[in-house]
């Protein structure tokens, strides 16, 4: 898994502070921003976030490049509707040797891992066969009309792979660019950093939080699962680790690529 912020709103703290101050001020934005020092911005944001005036948070956004994650994860990710997504297409990108994500529990069990990898190999073989069958079928009428065979096969490749891709598993590795504003990110971290979230999207959310904390530590100082800033909302389904979670996210500085064993790294299919 690779997560990197590739762009974000300039001066996120001041942008939000200026937007919020405008709601309570008689003067214009230019005068407001001129008077915003680092100290006054921090003081105002602390006050703002204490009484949950959330709409100003929507004026700042972060764009992440995410790689080495599964389609299982992105199916969950895109359910966060107040965001923008651009994902690698399986219609236009022919996967001659697809990569896949092995869940940790399967990785640790040799018998399960063997079954899993064999299934991935069969998926690749079936995909390759389907592509060849469909390309041949779709190119035949064009060749009959006099088109060069190589050109005909090339021209029908996309329409062939868009049907062949149906054989790929949820484990298939994908890449996606995601843009969320601060308000959406805060909600995302609340539900997806929780121990009850699925393991892969939980790791993604934690790494995204680590990234934004480096850029805007004040805005994301108290972010993490709901239990970081209040009682656990999960009732009988609680993990019972609220104290550990508060400590973990208070000191969130580790990088999941190095300090956490990457048991779920994408593996490249070998033909």
């Amino acid at each position: 898994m690779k997560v990197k912020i590739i762009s974000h709103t300039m001066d996120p703290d001041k942008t939000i502070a200026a937007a919020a101050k405008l709601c309570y001020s008689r003067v214009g934005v230019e005068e407001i921003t001129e008077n915003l020092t680092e100290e006054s911005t921090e003081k105002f944001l602390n006050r703002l976030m204490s009484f949950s005036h959330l709409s100003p948070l929507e004026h700042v956004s972060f764009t992440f490049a995410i790689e080495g994650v599964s389609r299982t994860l992105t199916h969950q990710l895109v359910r966060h509707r107040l965001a923008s997504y651009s994902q690698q297409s399986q219609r236009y990108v022919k996967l001659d040797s697809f990569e896949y994500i092995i869940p940790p529990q399967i990785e640790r069990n040799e018998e399960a891992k063997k079954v899993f990898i064999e299934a991935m190999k069969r998926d690749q073989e079936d995909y390759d066969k389907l592509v060849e069958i469909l390309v041949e079928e779709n190119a035949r009428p064009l060749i009959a009309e006099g088109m060069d065979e190589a050109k005909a096969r090339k021209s029908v490749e996309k329409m062939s792979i868009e049907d062949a891709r149906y054989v790929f598993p949820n484990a298939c590795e994908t890449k996606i660019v995601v843009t969320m504003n601060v308000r959406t990110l805060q909600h995302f971290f609340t539900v997806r950093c929780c121990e009850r979230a699925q393991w892969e999207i939980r790791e993604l959310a934690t790494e995204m939080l680590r990234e934004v904390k480096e850029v805007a530590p004040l805005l994301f100082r108290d972010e993490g699962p709901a239990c970081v800033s209040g009682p656990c909302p999960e009732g009988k389904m609680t993990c019972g680790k609220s104290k550990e979670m508060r400590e973990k996210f208070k000191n969130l500085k580790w990088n999941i690529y190095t300090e956490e064993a990457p048991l779920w790294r994408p593996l490249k299919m070998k033909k």
Side-chain angles (χ1 to χ4, degrees):
M1 182 185 291
K2 288 178 61 179
V3 181
K4 181 180 180 181
I5 293 175
I6 56 175
S7 67
H8 60 81
T9 306
M10 292 179 60
D11 297 324
D13 292 354
K14 287 188 176 181
T15 299
I16 291 173
K21 273 183 167 292
L22 182 66
C23 299
Y24 309 103
S25 177
R26 294 181 179 180
V27 302
V29 175
E30 186 174 349
E31 186 174 340
I32 289 173
T33 54
E34 286 178 355
N35 295 328
L36 276 176
T37 63
E38 187 173 327
E39 182 179 351
S40 64
T41 296
E42 180 175 355
K43 182 178 179 180
F44 184 76
L45 285 181
N46 285 332
R47 181 185 173 195
L48 174 71
M49 296 169 77
S50 71
F51 56 78
S52 298
H53 183 183
L54 300 179
S55 62
L57 303 180
E58 298 172 14
H59 295 293
V60 167
S61 64
F62 291 81
T63 298
F64 304 83
I66 300 168
E67 299 181 13
V69 295
S70 71
R71 288 258 169 178
T72 297
L73 182 148
T74 56
H75 289 335
Q76 298 176 76
L77 180 62
V78 298
R79 291 182 180 133
H80 294 270
R81 295 186 295 276
L82 299 180
S84 299
Y85 303 99
S86 297
Q87 186 168 9
Q88 183 185 61
S89 173
Q90 290 181 344
R91 292 182 65 204
Y92 292 92
V93 179
K94 186 171 181 286
L95 300 182
D96 294 314
S97 183
F98 83 93
E99 296 181 351
Y100 54 88
I101 310 302
I102 301 184
Q105 187 173 7
I106 293 177
E107 176 79 34
R108 292 191 296 265
N109 185 302
E110 287 302 317
E111 183 180 2
K113 183 178 179 181
K114 181 179 178 181
V115 172
F116 187 91
I117 292 176
E118 286 300 316
M120 298 301 104
K121 289 180 179 178
R122 288 194 300 271
D123 285 337
Q124 181 70 68
E125 291 168 358
D126 291 341
Y127 173 78
D128 294 340
K129 290 176 184 176
L130 285 170
V131 171
E132 181 59 30
I133 292 169
L134 295 176
V135 165
E136 184 176 340
E137 178 182 340
N138 292 327
R140 194 177 299 122
L142 300 179
I143 296 172
E145 293 173 2
M147 183 180 289
D148 176 77
E149 181 178 350
K151 184 176 180 181
R153 291 177 65 87
K154 183 68 175 177
S155 68
V156 300
E157 184 177 78
K158 186 191 78 68
M159 65 185 296
S160 301
I161 66 175
E162 72 178 6
D163 283 347
R165 65 182 169 144
Y166 277 71
V167 79
F168 279 133
N170 279 337
C172 190
E173 187 268 349
T174 188
K175 302 168 180 61
I176 191 167
V177 172
V178 180
T179 300
M180 293 183 180
N181 65 46
V182 172
R183 186 174 184 177
T184 298
L185 279 168
Q186 288 183 347
H187 173 259
F188 178 73
F189 295 142
T190 296
V191 296
R192 298 300 188 177
C193 288
C194 176
E195 285 291 295
R196 294 201 62 233
Q198 188 258 355
W199 66 269
E200 191 179 13
I201 199 168
R202 183 174 68 245
E203 298 293 355
L204 171 65
T206 302
E207 180 61 9
M208 288 170 63
L209 178 54
R210 190 191 70 82
E211 288 281 304
V212 295
K213 275 193 167 187
E214 292 182 5
V215 176
L218 179 59
L219 289 175
F220 297 98
R221 179 185 58 201
D222 299 321
E223 296 309 310
C227 62
V228 168
S229 56
C232 174
E234 297 296 328
K236 292 181 179 180
M237 303 297 289
T238 182
C239 70
K241 301 177 181 178
S242 294
K243 183 178 180 180
E244 293 93 327
M245 291 299 101
R246 292 185 188 113
E247 190 65 24
K248 172 181 177 178
F249 286 94
K250 177 183 178 182
N251 301 298
L252 187 64
K253 294 183 182 299
W254 49 265
N255 188 317
I256 63 175
Y257 310 141
T258 56
E259 295 187 21
E260 295 289 317
L263 295 176
W264 34 268
R265 65 190 183 280
L267 298 183
K268 193 166 187 177
M269 180 65 67
K270 295 181 180 179
K271 289 192 174 181

